[in-house]
Amino acid sequence: MQLQDILYSQGFGTRRVCAGLAQQGHVRVNGRVCADASERFDAVDGLDFEVMGQAWRFHASAYVLLNKPAGTECSQKPSTWPSIYTLLPAPLRQRPQKGAVQGVQAVGRLDQDTTGMLLLTDDGQFIHRMSSPRHHVPKVYEVALKHPVDDRQVRRLLDGVVLDDDPKPVRAAACEATGELTLRLTLTEGKYHQVKRMLAAVGNRVEGLHRSRIGGLALPPDLPPGGWRWLGPDELALLKP
Ligand code: URA
């Protein structure tokens, strides 16, 4: 693969911009300045390079994990709060169009005040597989409540509650009280404000919401709020439905 195509595929700008970056001596591959934009590299997966001092590793598809902080919106065009996309480096946002997806996109959305695990990718099929209720990917939420939680509320969440816009009940795949005012809830679908609406339906109120796990992958404790990192093949395997 030519150097300019490598840079283009990773989101460093148009092919012309990428060629210019190389020609101006701004690109290093494995530590060596490469000024020839047409220089070819084989086995590009995992290739380490630098663009204007920014270290990057080639990934044919991007799968990343973000620890979403409170006060951010999962929208490219947020209405009130900063967008989660501003937490990611520009190349991830600028990766060229692949199918219907341009740049990395969030796999589902979390509310502005919800924190925790959010996946982003430029792989449209992965987004579809992870989001489709047919695939039953479990998502675990740690919920802080306004009122003490009791056995009856837990039972109702497991048996199913009716939300205003849909006569079909929605149920938690798992639910356990983790304290007087805290609950761990597992859902396999992702309706709008689902956790908050389910808790409201049983007479309680969500005061704080954190997503701690998706499929077999837990939020790594060393990833701070606002931090992101690439997902490795082992982690992806834990996620796949
Ligand atoms: N359920 C909610 O109510 N909000 C979220 O952000 C996620 C699930």
Side-chain angles (χ1 to χ4, degrees):
M1 198 170 179
Q2 286 193 350
L3 181 57
Q4 62 192 356
D5 296 330
I6 292 174
L7 300 178
Y8 169 72
S9 72
Q10 301 300 290
F12 285 91
T14 61
R15 281 195 177 76
R16 205 176 148 151
V17 166
C18 291
L21 285 167
Q23 283 149 11
Q24 287 154 32
H26 293 313
V27 181
R28 287 172 181 266
V29 182
N30 295 325
R32 170 176 66 87
V33 173
C34 293
D36 176 3
S38 60
E39 184 173 342
R40 297 193 78 86
F41 292 86
D42 299 325
V44 285
D45 244 327
L47 185 79
D48 286 315
F49 58 94
E50 247 177 66
V51 179
M52 300 186 82
Q54 183 175 20
W56 205 257
R57 177 164 290 178
F58 183 97
H59 289 80
S61 292
Y63 303 96
V64 303
L65 171 62
L66 174 74
N67 185 356
K68 180 188 174 296
T72 52
E73 288 184 36
C74 289
S75 166
Q76 306 264 13
K77 296 195 179 107
S79 55
T80 312
W81 303 85
S83 164
I84 51 149
Y85 292 94
T86 62
L87 298 168
L88 300 174
L92 280 180
R93 290 182 266 127
Q94 291 168 13
R95 284 171 77 96
Q97 181 105 20
K98 265 183 35 188
V101 182
Q102 207 264 301
V104 293
Q105 306 270 308
V107 180
R109 290 185 174 200
L110 294 174
D111 296 338
Q112 165 276 120
D113 51 351
T114 302
T115 59
M117 249 180 125
L118 190 68
L119 306 174
L120 297 108
T121 181
D122 61 351
D123 176 347
Q125 285 183 359
F126 180 83
I127 295 178
H128 177 72
R129 269 202 317 277
M130 294 298 294
S131 320
S132 160
R134 282 196 305 124
H135 288 109
H136 302 290
V137 180
K139 290 160 193 115
V140 180
Y141 295 90
E142 310 296 333
V143 191
L145 296 164
K146 183 171 173 72
H147 308 292
V149 58
D150 57 37
D151 290 347
R152 201 180 58 90
Q153 289 178 4
V154 170
R155 182 53 31 223
R156 283 189 63 199
L157 291 165
L158 287 165
D159 287 347
V161 293
V162 171
L163 305 178
D164 29 311
D165 58 349
D166 191 352
K168 202 168 148 247
V170 287
R171 50 180 60 86
C175 180
E176 56 166 329
T178 48
E180 199 192 5
L181 290 169
T182 53
L183 196 67
R184 180 168 301 129
L185 192 73
T186 305
L187 300 181
T188 55
E189 52 193 336
K191 292 182 189 296
Y192 184 64
H193 293 330
Q194 185 165 339
V195 176
K196 291 174 183 164
R197 288 158 73 212
M198 286 177 78
L199 266 302
V202 300
N204 212 317
R205 190 189 153 104
V206 172
E207 296 273 278
L209 190 55
H210 175 80
R211 187 155 69 188
S212 57
R213 178 176 283 270
I214 300 176
L217 185 68
L219 182 66
D222 58 347
L223 188 65
W228 73 276
R229 70 166 168 76
W230 296 98
L231 287 173
D234 295 353
E235 293 169 315
L236 278 176
L238 289 172
L239 284 170
K240 278 199 174 136

